[in-house]
Amino acid sequence: MTDATQPTGPRPMGVRDVLRIPVYRRLIAGQAVSDIGDGITLLMLLLVINDLTGSSTALALMAISEAVPHFTIGLFAGVYVDRWNRRSVMLAADLLRAGIVLSFAAVATAGILPLLYLLAFLQSSVATFFRPARGALLPRIVPPEGLPAANSLAQGSQLIGTVVGAGIAGLLFGQFGSSVAGFAIDSATFLVSFAFISRIPSALGRISAAADGEDEARAPVLRSMLEGLAIVRGSRLLAGSVIAAAVTMLGLGAVNVLFVPLIVRELRVDPTWMAGLDFAQTSSMLMAAGIVTLLVRRLAPTTIISICLAGLGVFIGLLAGVSAIWQVLLILFAVGWMVTPLQAMLQTIVQTTATDATRGRVVSLLQASLSTASVASMAVGGVLGDLIGTRQVFVAASVVVIGAALLSVVLFRGVGVGTRPVPATPAT
């Protein structure tokens, strides 16, 4: 497996530069509004289930219902994203999700609660088409030197949307004790997203490699999916990115499950501190989005990934030894500086290394790998937390993430040494 990189090229674009692209402004505006709606529904579903059942098992079942599509349907979704007009996929997904989310309000009652789980599964399934389509469409809108900034801006939008949406959900449910308004607002955000995306030229959604697209449309779905796996396996950049990210999530999934027990049980801190802890990490992630362009001008994307993974591993290890809440605040603030550049570089490498005709499958494979590893880690982490203790699991997770950093160094050796990623197949 070999990849080549270009040591020289156009100067990386900043956030202001990519925002000057009219089509990108429409895409990010639609995403920003939709992210707020997603934040509302994410918390509103949990509030509704907790209010109706008071069961932790019921809450876990909802999390599973939303996670399963990502590593099942998501693999096949990428095949169709590489066959259909990506703009059309996004428009259809927005309309379907608007209807599904609005129907949440009708089934959010104790008597027909199972329907809520089914609809959550369907909504998450539709999202597995939307996200790869958006990821595959972005390089048709933004040039390669602007993708790091565009991806970091998307990360920032998602963070802000989640926080704002959760705040709206909490306010609505707390004041009115009803989820109808929250689900209605989320449904409306999908319609707003639809309006913005509809202004993107349809030609940008078409696969640029016409011959590949014709062959792909005739191939069996399973074969096309396996071809996507072969594409990743045949590229050290892609294989290294997917493997390093998946191994990382094998550690981080357990941390996500056991973070609350660490704060509440080990440190004996009031759960209201969770909002402050979220703010500490979110604020640094947003600030980190502003320095991604500076990092890309000085370091290769592969180097940034390895450094961020190593930093994450160290900080997770430090969490295992905390004795006061202020220590957790500082560590999470430091973690945020690692997460945004890591996510932006992973997305950028995938978008610029895969050809336009295969990009949907590669993006889907990355997302499926992350989801699978995360769910597996959460399941194992919960068991190990009871067997060996929460802090010991954090130590083990730290070792896994540091191992992912070392693995990335080995996998990226000899590739990704330039100042920017490999250019994608030019769009027509």
Side-chain angles (χ1 to χ4, degrees), residues 347-384:
Q347 291 290 339
T348 299
I349 285 179
V350 168
Q351 290 165 343
T352 56
T353 306
T355 64
D356 191 50
T358 62
R359 196 176 292 128
R361 280 167 285 177
V362 176
V363 173
S364 292
L365 180 61
L366 174 63
Q367 294 180 348
S369 300
L370 295 177
S371 297
T372 302
S374 179
V375 171
S377 178
M378 287 189 288
V380 174
V383 175
L384 289 179

Side-chain angles (χ1 to χ4, degrees), residues 1 26 34 40 99 104 120-121 128 160 188 196 208 211 229 289 291 312 315 344 356 365 383 389 418 421 426:
M1 297 185 297
R26 297 166 194 164
S34 181
I40 293 174
F104 283 166
F121 177 88
T128 64
I160 294 174
F196 278 113
S208 63
L229 294 173
I291 68 167
L312 276 177
F315 293 135
D356 191 50
L365 180 61
V383 175

Side-chain angles (χ1 to χ4, degrees), residues 103-390:
S103 65
F104 283 166
V107 301
T109 59
I112 52 176
L113 189 60
L115 284 178
L116 190 61
Y117 291 101
L118 176 60
L119 289 173
F121 177 88
L122 292 176
Q123 196 258 8
S124 183
S125 298
V126 174
T128 64
F129 286 83
F130 184 91
R131 291 166 187 164
R134 183 176 61 191
L137 179 65
L138 188 59
R140 304 294 308 280
I141 298 173
V142 178
E145 59 271 18
L147 287 174
N151 284 314
S152 64
L153 186 60
Q155 294 293 332
S157 168
Q158 185 176 5
L159 286 170
I160 294 174
T162 300
V163 173
V164 173
I168 294 174
L171 178 63
L172 291 175
F173 197 82
Q175 290 294 321
F176 305 106
S178 171
S179 61
V180 174
F183 291 137
I185 291 174
D186 188 15
S187 178
T189 64
F190 286 122
L191 297 179
V192 173
S193 174
F194 177 92
F196 278 113
I197 294 172
S198 66
R199 298 181 61 201
I200 296 175
S202 180
L204 290 176
R206 302 191 190 110
I207 310 300
S208 63
D212 290 344
E214 292 170 2
D215 292 340
E216 175 63 23
R218 291 193 295 265
V221 173
L222 182 59
R223 195 187 86 181
S224 295
M225 188 188 73
L226 294 177
E227 286 175 354
L229 294 173
I231 290 166
V232 172
R233 189 173 62 248
S235 167
R236 287 181 62 188
L237 272 175
L238 293 176
S241 299
V242 172
I243 293 172
V247 173
T248 300
M249 289 311 301
L250 285 175
L252 293 183
V255 171
N256 292 334
V257 167
L258 297 177
F259 185 73
V260 172
L262 174 70
I263 300 302
V264 177
R265 299 176 189 172
E266 300 285 338
L267 297 183
R268 301 185 182 281
V269 172
D270 191 281
T272 55
W273 270 95
M274 296 303 299
L277 297 175
D278 285 340
F279 177 78
Q281 182 172 334
T282 300
S283 61
S284 60
M285 289 178 70
L286 290 173
M287 288 186 282
I291 68 167
V292 167
T293 302
L294 298 177
L295 291 175
V296 174
R297 289 173 180 172
R298 291 165 174 78
L299 299 171
T302 50
T303 303
I304 296 173
I305 289 175
S306 298
I307 292 174
C308 290
L309 288 177
L312 276 177
V314 170
F315 293 135
I316 291 172
L318 292 177
L319 281 174
V322 295
S323 58
I325 192 64
W326 65 266
Q327 297 170 346
V328 181
L329 283 167
L330 290 178
I331 293 172
L332 290 184
F333 184 79
V335 165
W337 289 97
M338 302 291 107
V339 173
T340 297
L342 173 62
Q343 293 176 335
M345 291 304 100
L346 286 172
Q347 291 290 339
T348 299
I349 285 179
V350 168
Q351 290 165 343
T352 56
T353 306
T355 64
D356 191 50
T358 62
R359 196 176 292 128
R361 280 167 285 177
V362 176
V363 173
S364 292
L365 180 61
L366 174 63
Q367 294 180 348
S369 300
L370 295 177
S371 297
T372 302
S374 179
V375 171
S377 178
M378 287 189 288
V380 174
V383 175
L384 289 179
D386 293 332
L387 292 177
I388 64 176
T390 299

